[in-house]
Amino acid sequence: MRTTNLFLFILLSINVFAQQKTTVITLLPEQAKTVINKNIYGQFAEHLGAGIYGSIWVGKNSPIPNSDGYRSDVLQALKDLQIPVLRWPGGCFADEYHWIDGIGNNRPKIVNNNWGAVVEDNSFGTHEFLNLCEILGCEPYVSGNVGSGTVSELAKWVEYMTSDGDSPMANLRRQNGREKSWKVKYLGIGNESWGCGGNMTSEYYSDQFLQFSTFCRNFGENKLFKIAVGPYDYELDWTETLMKRVGKRMDGLSLHYYTVKGWDGSKGSATQFSPEEYYNTIGKSVEIDDVLQKQTALMDKYDSEKQISLMVDEWGTWFDVEPGTNPGFLFQQNTMRDALVAALSFNIMHKFADRVQMANIAQMVNVLQAMILTKDDKMLLTPTYHVFYMYKVHQNALNIPLNVNCETKTIRERQVPVVSATASQKDGKTHISLINIDLENSQNININLGNIKTVKISGKILTSKNITDHNTFENPNIVQTSDFKDFKLSKNLLSVNLPAKAIVTLELQ
Ligand code: AHR
């Protein structure tokens, strides 16, 4: 009997010990040398479903409160997010878009063949987009039409937007009410040219890039940063061809990485999923680490000085559309799971800050992993919005390398760390963001701060009772941030008790 009791006691102790595993994080501020480009917090708005019409743009005569046609509540929420860069008009839409249709007073209607074959009136065009960027204080990133457009059409668009000379396109812009040119730095030469953008081979696209980009000129002070269509996921052959054939004649190469179950069949519900499905989604999202390692290693082979940037200009979760909605509109809800995917993706992209200079989540409003959802005159902020808001502090901050020693979970045949961390410094403050992916267990985290002197700490947390929790138009604040105080500082050791399925950002000063 006594032996059995002793045996049970040992077993229980082992179990208790397993549940209380402590994570150790060591910050290495002396090794910090790379700034996290704020453009990693970029957005993407495509003419897709209610991604623009009815959400960002309602028109001046709408009963929905607006400022010059821009929806007021959405505009305010976007301003609060301090968006650094906004990609437009697609996506797949970009390679069928003829910009001339979206200027002036007589705009033709068009059919959006990529997304639901809906008819749109072109009331949101070049002026409306570039003015929006000015209002938001962000850089525009314009995706040009290579798939069904011409070299001359794209060259003229650049002239229309950026020339202040006495030139035909600049004069046309003036006739349409805009005297001064806009500043447009980022120009995408096509989108997914290996697929919806024209089904091209990498060799053919490389030639197209060189031809199109030759005629996209720098006017006055405006200096274009030309972005070539890149691969998705592990498509290393595409990257290699572009690096070899185009090389430094491109400023950036794009990469698309979606957290998606698969491209055929059901992608799973955005709101109803099992713990197993949850962990699979997390596993797929953190695989971007491996993709970035492989893609950046290949780029290093041809460009050891890292002069060509990698722009993850489409990323995020992709689930089945909400029941009853148009399958072509890609409207999905957004839960605490999406928030964890967003935060994990940022923690990973920060590690590659020396090469990854931009990322644009797909997409900003009402499409895929959106920040904002709207329905008629109602609006809600998603859990993903709250991550972008919490993580604003990392924009243009010095990335602090760190080591995380924690337990792992086997997901998709990989060992995935249960805790993810990132840290950065700006304006005399250090910010540490911590993520616990475990659905059940909290984590005791000991952070060795190294030589970082700290007298004051504050924190914010994003978590929820259930991982499937999401904000609805009836209950828009189910998932929201709150103050976080479960930490203790003793000399340069910071102990944090991080709840299950939670994201925390600490501010140290
Ligand atoms: O973001 C939705 C679509 O996904 C984009 O239009 C396309 O580029 C990608 O395949």
Side-chain angles (χ1 to χ4, degrees):
M1 190 63 185
R2 255 189 209 165
T3 332
T4 323
N5 273 344
L6 182 66
F7 181 60
L8 260 176
F9 173 72
I10 293 171
L11 258 187
L12 274 173
S13 318
I14 291 170
N15 193 30
V16 165
F17 184 69
Q19 304 248 331
Q20 291 180 338
K21 248 185 191 166
T22 296
T23 293
V24 177
I25 297 177
T26 309
L27 301 193
L28 305 162
E30 62 288 345
Q31 291 180 22
K33 53 176 194 292
T34 316
V35 168
I36 300 164
N37 194 321
K38 65 176 179 178
N39 288 340
I40 287 176
Y41 290 84
Q43 297 283 338
F44 168 34
E46 180 167 8
H47 289 237
L48 196 179
I52 289 177
Y53 293 108
S55 53
I56 296 168
W57 181 253
V58 289
K60 289 177 193 156
N61 301 323
S62 171
I64 297 176
N66 68 84
S67 156
D68 278 336
Y70 302 103
R71 199 177 151 138
S72 306
D73 50 359
V74 172
L75 205 55
Q76 189 54 52
L78 295 176
K79 279 184 187 165
D80 294 344
L81 221 45
Q82 288 167 14
I83 292 166
V85 58
L86 177 56
R87 180 173 184 248
W88 172 87
C92 297
F93 180 82
D95 280 295
E96 271 197 85
Y97 182 60
H98 301 285
W99 67 272
I100 206 92
D101 295 343
I103 55 165
N105 290 329
N106 296 311
R107 305 188 187 185
K109 289 190 171 147
I110 50 159
V111 178
N112 189 333
N113 293 312
N114 281 287
W115 306 115
V118 288
V119 174
E120 49 177 88
D121 65 4
N122 267 313
S123 53
F124 190 90
T126 302
H127 290 245
E128 291 72 25
F129 170 66
L130 294 174
N131 291 345
L132 172 67
C133 291
E134 283 187 346
I135 296 168
L136 295 177
C138 70
E139 297 265 7
Y141 171 8
V142 173
S143 291
N145 180 348
V146 169
S148 70
T150 63
V151 176
S152 149
E153 183 183 358
L154 187 54
K156 284 181 177 157
W157 198 9
V158 171
E159 183 189 324
Y160 185 90
M161 294 185 287
T162 63
S163 166
D164 272 323
D166 182 14
S167 75
M169 288 302 112
N171 288 334
L172 180 60
R173 184 195 66 237
R174 290 185 188 105
Q175 266 173 39
N176 288 331
R178 172 81 185 198
E179 178 57 38
K180 211 173 142 305
S181 63
W182 292 276
K183 178 176 171 267
V184 178
K185 179 173 176 186
Y186 298 106
L187 180 71
I189 310 289
N191 168 75
E192 295 194 352
S193 303
W194 34 262
C196 65
N199 284 304
M200 302 173 195
T201 63
S202 51
E203 290 79 11
Y204 181 75
Y205 172 73
S206 298
D207 293 346
Q208 290 277 287
F209 175 89
L210 293 172
Q211 189 186 354
F212 274 73
S213 62
T214 302
F215 299 96
C216 294
R217 315 270 185 203
N218 291 327
F219 292 98
E221 300 285 288
N222 194 72
K223 183 153 186 343
L224 294 170
F225 184 104
K226 295 169 189 164
I227 300 169
V229 168
Y232 69 93
D233 299 7
Y234 291 104
E235 276 298 309
L236 294 163
D237 289 349
W238 184 280
T239 306
E240 184 136 40
T241 308
L242 269 281
M243 293 302 286
K244 272 190 198 157
R245 293 174 81 122
V246 178
K248 289 179 187 143
R249 287 174 290 184
M250 61 186 167
D251 298 301
L253 179 68
S254 86
L255 169 73
H256 289 180
Y257 185 84
Y258 282 101
T259 295
V260 60
K261 192 166 144 197
W263 294 109
D264 300 323
S266 166
K267 297 178 175 62
S269 160
T271 54
Q272 287 160 18
F273 48 88
S274 64
E276 195 195 343
E277 287 172 287
Y278 160 77
Y279 283 117
N280 272 329
T281 301
I282 294 296
K284 172 72 184 170
S285 81
V286 298
E287 222 175 286
I288 194 176
D289 199 332
D290 194 41
V291 167
L292 288 175
Q293 271 175 44
K294 296 202 164 66
Q295 293 286 2
T296 57
L298 182 55
M299 289 177 82
D300 288 351
K301 194 172 130 193
Y302 294 93
D303 171 32
S304 57
E305 290 164 356
K306 299 185 195 292
Q307 288 176 357
I308 304 167
S309 304
L310 187 61
M311 336 294 271
V312 189
D313 60 15
E314 285 186 30
W315 68 276
T317 56
W318 194 320
F319 299 115
D320 289 343
V321 296
E322 286 307 304
T325 65
N326 188 328
F329 284 9
L330 309 186
F331 177 80
Q332 66 189 40
Q333 251 293 0
N334 196 292
T335 66
M336 188 61 212
R337 173 175 67 170
D338 293 83
L340 288 157
V341 169
L344 288 164
S345 306
F346 284 135
N347 286 10
I348 293 166
M349 288 194 279
H350 290 179
K351 290 199 297 174
F352 295 90
D354 58 352
R355 179 72 78 175
V356 176
Q357 298 295 327
M358 190 194 288
N360 308 74
I361 190 165
Q363 299 189 2
M364 191 159 76
V365 189
N366 287 335
V367 178
L368 298 175
Q369 191 177 353
M371 313 301 106
I372 296 172
L373 302 180
T374 62
K375 186 181 170 202
D376 306 324
D377 61 345
K378 295 198 182 74
M379 179 197 85
L380 65 83
L381 306 178
T382 66
T384 300
Y385 178 98
H386 294 301
V387 173
F388 272 72
Y389 193 91
M390 276 171 95
Y391 270 61
K392 275 192 302 189
V393 292
H394 296 299
Q395 290 188 17
N396 277 353
L398 182 67
N399 185 45
I400 302 181
L402 47 79
N403 290 326
V404 180
N405 196 334
C406 68
E407 67 172 302
T408 57
K409 274 187 188 297
T410 310
I411 311 174
R412 292 166 60 96
E413 292 160 19
R414 281 171 201 275
Q415 290 305 305
V416 176
V418 167
V419 173
S420 165
T422 193
S424 70
Q425 274 179 336
K426 195 169 73 175
D427 303 332
K429 292 176 186 161
T430 302
H431 292 100
I432 305 174
S433 293
L434 304 165
I435 305 164
N436 179 8
I437 63 162
D438 198 303
L439 285 178
E440 306 292 334
N441 302 310
S442 61
Q443 306 288 329
N444 291 322
I445 303 184
N446 287 334
I447 308 175
N448 183 340
L449 297 174
N451 61 17
I452 298 170
K453 298 273 169 290
T454 306
V455 288
K456 198 172 138 206
I457 305 180
S458 59
K460 287 276 180 210
I461 184 166
L462 185 69
T463 188
S464 64
K465 190 154 168 276
N466 308 302
I467 190 68
T468 53
D469 285 347
H470 51 279
N471 296 333
T472 63
F473 295 106
E474 294 70 39
N475 282 310
N477 295 319
I478 294 173
V479 187
Q480 58 178 334
T481 51
S482 55
D483 288 341
F484 177 74
K485 298 201 162 73
D486 208 352
F487 53 79
K488 216 165 82 194
L489 180 69
S490 154
K491 296 199 177 131
N492 70 339
L493 193 73
L494 178 60
S495 309
V496 180
N497 183 30
L498 184 62
K501 50 178 162 35
I503 305 159
V504 158
T505 292
L506 298 167
E507 179 168 288
L508 283 61
Q509 42 182 315

